[in-house]
Amino acid sequence: MKERIERLKKLTYIPQNEIAWLIEQAELSVKQREIIEENKRQQEVTVHQFRQAQKDIQQLSGDRKRYKQALEKIITNLNFAITVAQNELEGDAK
């Protein structure tokens, strides 16, 4: 392709078939640029979605940790209440 372009630069008159080739190359270039721009846009969207997903995961991990701690406290309190109730039942049985 480079050779063909260099050859065309040297011509004072450009044949019709060569002009058609130049137009085709220009159209291809425009299409390629559009594709590249669309790919960049999609990449930006993907990066944004990935970052948002990371934030969501961090938030959910924090929520999970807080819920786990709260559940452990509830279990501890229930175990204590069960122990107290068992002791009272044993005391009443005597």
Side-chain angles (χ1 to χ4, degrees):
M1 186 159 138
K2 284 183 180 181
E3 294 169 1
R4 193 168 184 178
I5 292 171
E6 289 303 318
R7 184 172 54 82
L8 288 172
K9 285 180 183 179
K10 294 175 187 174
L11 296 176
T12 55
Y13 164 77
I14 301 177
Q16 190 66 32
N17 65 337
E18 297 296 343
I19 290 175
W21 180 81
L22 285 173
I23 291 170
E24 182 181 310
Q25 294 305 309
E27 289 171 347
L28 283 174
S29 177
V30 168
K31 287 179 185 177
Q32 288 173 340
R33 180 167 283 126
E34 289 171 353
I35 290 169
I36 290 169
E37 288 173 3
E38 177 62 19
N39 286 343
K40 284 182 182 179
R41 189 191 67 75
Q42 288 178 1
Q43 184 179 19
E44 289 171 0
V45 168
T46 301
V47 167
H48 175 73
Q49 289 174 337
F50 178 77
R51 288 185 179 148
Q52 186 61 46
Q54 281 183 317
K55 287 179 186 177
D56 292 347
I57 288 169
Q58 289 173 349
Q59 182 179 357
L60 290 171
S61 294
D63 291 348
R64 181 182 174 272
K65 185 178 179 180
R66 286 189 294 279
Y67 292 144
K68 183 178 177 185
Q69 290 171 344
L71 185 59
E72 287 172 351
K73 286 181 184 178
I74 291 170
I75 291 170
T76 300
N77 291 338
L78 285 173
N79 283 335
F80 178 74
I82 290 169
T83 302
V84 168
Q86 285 175 337
N87 289 339
E88 287 178 5
L89 287 174
E90 288 174 7
D92 289 342
K94 289 182 184 184

